C-alpha cells in the first residue's frame, strides 16, 4: 500500500496537474488559456466594485466569476457574433417580405433596421407590388420622416401608384402645398390646380376665407395654365361669390345663401331687383351676362319669378316686343307650350292665357290646350271657325249651365253667318 508521502509526491510531480493548491498562479485549464477571460473578468469586477461601493456592508453579496456560469468558448462566440452584427447590421435583418407580411397581418413590426436608401426603396417596391394602400402609406410616411423631402419626391416620381396613395392621404389632411409641389414636379400642373380647387371648395365654410383662397388659387395656378377651361369657371365662381356677398350685405336677409347656384342667384335678382337699371351690379341682366346664362335659361327663370308674383305686365314686357305699326310681336326663346304651362301653373288669368294661346300655330293643338286650361272663349271660337256644330254642342254639355261660358256657346250656335258642317 502506498504511503501518504508517496501520494503527496505524485501530486507535486504529475505533468497533467490542473491546479496547484499551494501555488497562486493560474495555469491553463484543460488546455484553454484564460488570459482574455481574466481581462474581461477584471473589467466586470471593477464595475461591480464601483457599484457595490454605494451599498452598505450588510447588502454586499459576493459576485460569481462569469466563467463559472458560461464557458469561455461560448462567451467568445457571443462576442464575435455581436461584433459581426455591429459591422453589418442590415445584411442579416432587413427582409422586406417578412416586414410587409407583419404589416398586413397587423403584427408588431419595426422599420428601424431599414437605414440605407436601397433598403427603403426595396421595402416600398415590395408594398407596391402587393398593392395594399395602407402598407404603401405606412412606408411612405416612414420615408418622409427619415429622408430629405426632395429625395422622397424623387422616389415617388418614379412610382405613380405610391403618388396616388400619398395624394389621397394629403388631401384628407388638407396639405395643399405638398400636393401642389408633388404634382407640379411630375408635370401635372393642371391636376394640382384642380385638386387644390376641390379641397378649397369642399373644406372652406367661411365666405371671406373662401373668396381669398379662390383668388390666390387663380392667381398662382390657373392663370398660368394655357387652354384650361376650368380657369374661366374659377373666374366666374369668384364673381358669383362677390355678387352674393354684396347682395347679402345690401339686402340684410337670408333670402340668398352663399355658394348658391347662378340660377338661384338669378331668381333672387328677378324677385328683388327686377326694376334696377341694366348697368347696376344687382340687375338680373348684368348677372346673366357675367355668367353666360343663355337667353332661354334667363327667360324661363324670369318668367317663373314674375308669374309667381302675378306681375303680368312684367310678363308681357318679357315675352312681347313692338312690331310694325305699334303691334305686339312674340319674342320668346322657349317653346310656346312651355310658356303657357308656366303661366297656367301660376294661376294666370284667362285673358293672359288667351293672349298667348293665339300664338300656337297648330289649330288642333291650340284647341286641346284651350280646353285643358279652361279657356272656353278660345275653344268655342275655334269650333265655330271649323264650323263643327256637333263638336260645339258636345263641348257645351261639359260647361256649367247658366254660366258665362255656357251662354257664350249658345250664342255661337245661333250665329246666322256660320255655315255648319252638320
Amino acid at each position: 500500500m502506498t504511503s501518504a508521502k508517496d501520494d503527496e509526491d505524485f501530486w507535486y510531480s504529475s505533468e497533467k496537474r490542473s491546479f496547484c493548491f499551494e501555488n497562486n498562479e493560474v495555469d491553463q485549464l484543460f488546455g484553454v488559456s484564460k488570459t482574455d477571460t481574466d481581462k474581461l473578468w477584471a473589467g466586470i469586477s471593477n464595475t461591480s466594485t464601483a457599484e457595490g461601493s454605494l451599498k452598505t456592508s450588510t447588502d454586499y453579496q459576493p459576485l460569481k466569476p462569469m466563467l463559472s456560469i458560461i464557458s469561455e468558448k461560448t462567451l467568445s462566440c457571443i462576442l464575435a457574433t455581436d461584433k459581426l452584427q455591429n459591422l453589418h447590421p442590415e445584411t442579416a435583418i432587413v427582409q422586406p417580405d417578412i416586414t410587409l407580411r407583419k404589416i398586413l397581418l397587423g403584427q408588431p413590426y419595426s422599420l428601424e433596421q431599414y437605414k440605407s436608401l436601397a433598403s427603403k426603396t426595396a421595402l416600398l417596391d415590395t408594398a407596391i407590388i402587393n398593392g395594399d394602400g395602407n402598407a404603401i402609406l405606412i412606408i411612405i410616411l416612414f420615408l418622409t420622416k427619415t429622408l430629405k423631402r426632395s429625395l422622397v419626391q424623387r422616389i415617388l416620381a418614379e412610382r405613380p401608384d405610391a403618388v396616388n396613395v400619398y395624394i389621397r392621404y394629403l388631401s384628407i389632411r388638407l396639405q395643399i402645398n405638398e400636393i401642389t409641389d408633388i404634382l407640379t414636379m411630375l408635370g401635372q400642373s393642371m391636376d394640382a390646380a384642380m385638386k387644390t380647387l376641390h379641397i378649397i371648395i369642399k373644406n372652406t365654410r367661411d365666405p371671406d376665407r373662401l373668396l381669398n383662397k379662390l383668388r390666390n388659387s387663380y392667381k398662382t395656378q390657373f392663370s398660368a395654365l394655357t387652354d384650361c377651361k376650368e380657369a374661366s369657371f374659377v373666374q366666374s365662381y369668384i364673381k358669383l361669390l362677390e355678387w352674393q356677398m354684396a347682395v347679402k350685405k345690401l339686402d340684410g336677409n337670408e333670402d340668398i345663401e352663399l355658394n348658391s347656384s347662378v340660377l338661384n342667384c338669378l331668381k333672387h335678382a328677378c324677385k328683388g331687383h327686377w326694376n334696377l337699371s341694366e348697368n347696376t351690379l344687382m340687375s338680373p341682366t348684368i348677372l346673366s351676362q357675367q355668367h353666360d346664362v343663355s337667353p332661354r335659361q334667363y327667360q324661363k327663370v324670369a318668367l317663373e319669378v314674375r308669374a309667381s308674383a302675378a306681375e303680368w305686365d312684367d310678363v308681357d314686357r318679357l315675352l312681347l316686343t313692338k312690331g310694325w305699326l305699334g303691334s305686339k310681336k312674340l319674342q320668346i326663346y322657349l317653346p310656346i307650350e312651355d310658356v303657357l304651362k308656366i303661366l297656367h301653373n301660376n294661376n294666370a288669368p284667362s285673358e293672359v292665357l288667351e293672349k298667348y294661346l293665339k300664338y300656337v300655330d297648330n289649330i288642333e293643338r291650340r284647341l286641346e290646350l284651350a280646353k285643358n286650361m279652361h279657356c272656353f272663349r278660345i275653344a268655342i271660337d275655334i269650333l265655330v271657325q271649323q264650323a263643327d256644330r256637333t263638336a260645339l254642342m258636345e263641348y257645351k254639355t261639359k260647361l256649367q249651365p247658366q254660366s258665362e261660358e255656357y251662354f257664350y256657346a249658345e250664342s255661337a250656335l245661333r250665329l246666322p253667318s256660320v255655315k255648319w258642317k252638320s
Side-chain angles (χ1 to χ4, degrees):
M1 185 174 184
T2 308
S3 63
K5 188 175 182 305
D6 293 336
D7 293 337
E8 185 176 344
D9 291 339
F10 169 79
W11 284 106
Y12 284 107
S13 62
S14 175
E15 294 179 356
K16 299 297 182 181
R17 70 179 186 275
S18 59
F19 188 80
C20 180
F21 293 100
E22 295 183 359
N23 195 343
N24 292 330
E25 291 184 358
V26 179
D27 209 340
Q28 290 188 345
L29 183 62
F30 302 112
V32 180
S33 173
K34 291 187 277 297
T35 304
D36 294 335
T37 305
D38 290 339
K39 293 179 181 179
L40 177 63
W41 168 244
I44 295 174
S45 299
N46 292 337
T47 303
S48 301
T49 304
E51 294 178 354
S53 63
L54 299 176
K55 301 180 181 180
T56 61
S57 58
T58 57
D59 294 334
Y60 173 77
Q61 295 181 358
L63 297 175
K64 294 182 179 180
M66 180 175 290
L67 291 179
S68 65
I69 302 174
I70 187 172
S71 68
E72 182 180 7
K73 184 176 181 180
T74 303
L75 179 60
S76 299
C77 291
I78 294 173
L79 295 176
T81 302
D82 184 65
K83 182 178 180 181
L84 181 62
Q85 290 181 349
N86 289 335
L87 291 175
H88 307 286
E90 295 188 6
T91 55
I93 301 176
V94 172
Q95 299 181 22
D97 292 337
I98 295 178
T99 302
L100 182 63
R101 188 181 303 117
K102 291 181 179 180
I103 294 175
L104 297 177
L105 295 177
Q107 298 176 350
Y109 64 90
S110 174
L111 303 180
E112 294 181 359
Q113 66 270 28
Y114 295 88
K115 297 180 180 180
S116 69
L117 179 61
S119 64
K120 293 175 181 179
T121 54
L123 181 61
L124 178 59
D125 290 335
T126 303
I128 293 174
I129 293 173
N130 181 270
D132 185 82
N134 291 332
I136 294 173
L137 180 59
I138 289 172
I139 297 167
I140 292 175
L141 295 179
F142 169 67
L143 297 183
T144 59
K145 294 178 181 179
T146 57
L147 296 175
K148 292 182 179 180
R149 183 181 179 186
S150 59
L151 187 55
V152 173
Q153 291 180 352
R154 191 181 73 187
I155 293 173
L156 294 178
E158 301 171 353
R159 296 162 175 83
D161 293 336
V163 171
N164 294 335
V165 173
Y166 193 41
I167 291 297
R168 283 197 296 270
Y169 168 78
L170 295 175
S171 299
I172 295 173
R173 297 179 64 85
L174 309 182
Q175 297 182 6
I176 296 177
N177 293 336
E178 184 71 13
I179 293 174
T180 302
D181 291 345
I182 292 176
L183 293 179
T184 303
M185 178 194 63
L186 296 175
Q188 302 176 15
S189 299
M190 185 175 294
D191 292 339
M194 291 303 299
K195 196 70 179 177
T196 301
L197 179 64
H198 174 76
I199 293 174
I200 289 174
I201 294 176
K202 184 178 180 180
N203 298 281
T204 308
R205 297 289 178 264
D206 182 73
D208 292 320
R209 291 185 61 194
L210 176 60
L211 189 57
N212 291 333
K213 288 183 178 181
L214 287 173
R215 287 169 177 166
N216 183 64
S217 176
Y218 179 80
K219 181 179 179 181
T220 58
Q221 294 180 297
F222 285 96
S223 61
L225 297 175
T226 57
D227 300 329
C228 179
K229 296 180 180 179
E230 287 76 9
S232 59
F233 163 77
V234 177
Q235 272 188 314
S236 298
Y237 190 26
I238 292 173
K239 290 180 181 179
L240 182 63
L241 282 178
E242 291 173 344
W243 188 91
Q244 291 173 353
M245 294 177 69
V247 168
K248 206 168 185 66
K249 184 177 180 180
L250 179 65
D251 295 349
N253 55 39
E254 302 297 330
D255 289 345
I256 185 71
E257 295 183 1
L258 294 173
N259 281 326
S260 296
S261 67
V262 173
L263 294 183
N264 283 339
C265 292
L266 183 58
K267 287 181 181 179
H268 178 82
C270 290
K271 180 180 180 181
H273 306 281
W274 177 257
N275 295 320
L276 290 180
S277 171
E278 292 186 359
N279 297 326
T280 308
L281 176 64
M282 304 302 167
S283 167
T285 306
I286 292 295
L287 180 63
S288 61
Q289 290 175 355
Q290 285 183 342
H291 299 283
D292 297 325
V293 178
S294 69
R296 180 169 180 166
Q297 287 178 316
Y298 174 80
Q299 194 170 65
K300 181 179 180 181
V301 171
L303 178 61
E304 288 174 342
V305 173
R306 302 319 294 170
S308 65
E311 297 290 346
W312 308 118
D313 291 339
D314 292 340
V315 170
D316 289 343
R317 284 191 288 269
L318 182 65
L319 302 178
L320 300 176
T321 186
K322 291 182 179 180
W324 290 100
L325 303 175
S327 62
K328 294 292 184 179
K329 179 182 178 182
L330 187 67
Q331 185 178 15
I332 59 175
Y333 300 95
L334 296 168
I336 184 61
E337 292 191 24
D338 290 352
V339 172
L340 288 167
K341 183 178 180 181
I342 292 172
L343 294 175
H344 183 256
N345 290 340
N346 285 281
N347 302 315
S350 296
E351 55 269 19
V352 175
L353 292 173
E354 291 173 1
K355 183 189 304 182
Y356 293 100
L357 271 170
K358 293 178 181 179
Y359 293 104
V360 178
D361 294 331
N362 186 288
I363 192 72
E364 296 296 335
R365 183 59 180 160
R366 190 193 311 167
L367 176 61
E368 183 181 356
L369 290 172
K371 290 179 178 179
N372 292 336
M373 295 181 181
H374 307 292
C375 295
F376 64 91
R377 290 181 181 273
I378 296 292
I380 293 173
D381 290 344
I382 292 174
L383 293 175
V384 170
Q385 182 182 352
Q386 292 177 338
D388 193 342
R389 183 183 182 90
T390 303
L392 180 55
M393 292 180 66
E394 183 181 352
Y395 181 66
K396 176 187 170 184
T397 61
K398 297 178 182 179
L399 301 176
Q400 184 178 356
Q402 310 303 316
S403 64
E404 181 182 357
E405 53 267 28
Y406 185 85
F407 289 126
Y408 188 81
E410 277 194 341
S411 300
L413 288 170
R414 291 194 295 266
L415 288 173
S417 59
V418 179
K419 295 182 179 180
W420 301 102
K421 295 178 181 179
S422 57

